[in-house]
Amino acid sequence: LQLITLYSYDGITKNKELSLKGLFPDGLERCNTFNVDKPIIFITARVHPAETMSSYLLEGIINFLTDSNDLRAIVLRKFFVFKIIPILNPDGVYNGYYRFDTNGLNLNRHYNSMDQTLIPEIYATKRIFVFYSQQFRVKHFFDLHGHFSMKGHFAFMNSLDYLSQIETMSIPFFLGVYNNNFKISNCIYSEKSMKSREYGDKNSKEGSSRVFFYKTTGLINIYTIEVS
């Protein structure tokens, strides 16, 4: 898997991030650290190979974040670190699969699995996400998807208590304000959406990144972004 890290040099040190054993090639130089731990915005895409819309969305995000002239991007790079996994299911993408990986698995239903050999992509993603979360550094998580029936862009969120739900709804609200394509009315944050099963899939959404990371780390700002 590729892991892209984007940040500015503000507050940068000569120290390197810890290289978690078994996740990175031996001798690979890791990213720099900062004199103040910057919050992390974690983004993943293309866990379902056929959802090419998520790659176009991610391309736009990366182009925006690396814009040297856009003040918004400059501020974001200054105050946040962006950790991006552009293709979570490279085997499925390479082979042109619709939803599964080479082993016939829907990887976004196996985050609660402990099988490192069968699902190494999910194992690696979980390890590094939980590692940063334990440092209280992860601020937001966005998993980018494509949707084939509902129109517009919208988000799945977890069902939370009242005040937490208000906080999680703030980002979709502002997305809807600034982007006519984003439909706040289509956003889903029900308990059912955290447990439902799709036709022909024995595993529920409790094994998705959105639900698993919330239940494992307590992070509430977790979003599945859907693009039509």
Side-chain angles (χ1 to χ4, degrees), residues 158 160-170 214 220-221:
N158 293 310
L160 310 171
D161 63 74
Y162 182 72
L163 291 178
S164 296
Q165 200 75 70
I166 291 176
E167 180 177 340
T168 61
M169 288 294 292
S170 61
Y214 163 64
I220 63 174
N221 295 312

Side-chain angles (χ1 to χ4, degrees), residues 1 88 101 103 105-126 207:
L1 290 182
L88 269 172
D101 72 343
N103 295 309
L105 300 177
N106 179 351
L107 293 180
N108 203 35
R109 297 295 181 271
H110 286 79
Y111 275 84
N112 51 4
S113 171
M114 300 298 292
D115 195 329
Q116 176 183 351
T117 303
L118 188 63
I119 50 169
E121 309 93 335
I122 302 305
Y123 168 80
T125 303
K126 287 195 303 184

Side-chain angles (χ1 to χ4, degrees), residues 68-159:
S68 59
N69 298 315
D70 193 311
L71 180 59
R72 299 167 300 175
I74 293 171
V75 170
L76 285 170
R77 291 195 304 266
K78 179 177 181 179
F79 290 105
F80 294 94
V81 171
F82 292 85
K83 297 284 184 180
I84 302 171
I85 300 178
I87 300 181
L88 269 172
N89 188 348
D91 293 346
V93 170
Y94 177 81
N95 287 290
Y97 296 145
Y98 181 75
R99 197 164 176 83
F100 297 156
D101 72 343
T102 307
N103 295 309
L105 300 177
N106 179 351
L107 293 180
N108 203 35
R109 297 295 181 271
H110 286 79
Y111 275 84
N112 51 4
S113 171
M114 300 298 292
D115 195 329
Q116 176 183 351
T117 303
L118 188 63
I119 50 169
E121 309 93 335
I122 302 305
Y123 168 80
T125 303
K126 287 195 303 184
R127 272 198 65 192
I128 196 164
F129 183 90
V130 171
F131 171 74
Y132 290 125
S133 297
Q134 289 173 340
Q135 301 176 20
F136 303 103
R137 290 189 60 196
V138 180
K139 180 67 175 176
H140 295 89
F141 171 75
F142 299 94
D143 188 25
L144 310 183
H145 286 253
H147 206 280
F148 293 95
S149 58
M150 296 178 67
K151 294 182 179 180
H153 312 337
F154 62 97
F156 281 99
M157 295 162 282
N158 293 310
S159 179

Side-chain angles (χ1 to χ4, degrees), residues 190-209:
S190 65
E191 183 74 24
K192 179 181 179 181
S193 73
M194 300 174 68
K195 298 180 178 180
S196 61
R197 287 181 172 84
E198 295 164 351
Y199 179 77
D201 196 335
K202 65 179 181 180
N203 299 300
S204 75
K205 289 186 177 179
E206 290 179 303
S208 67
S209 59

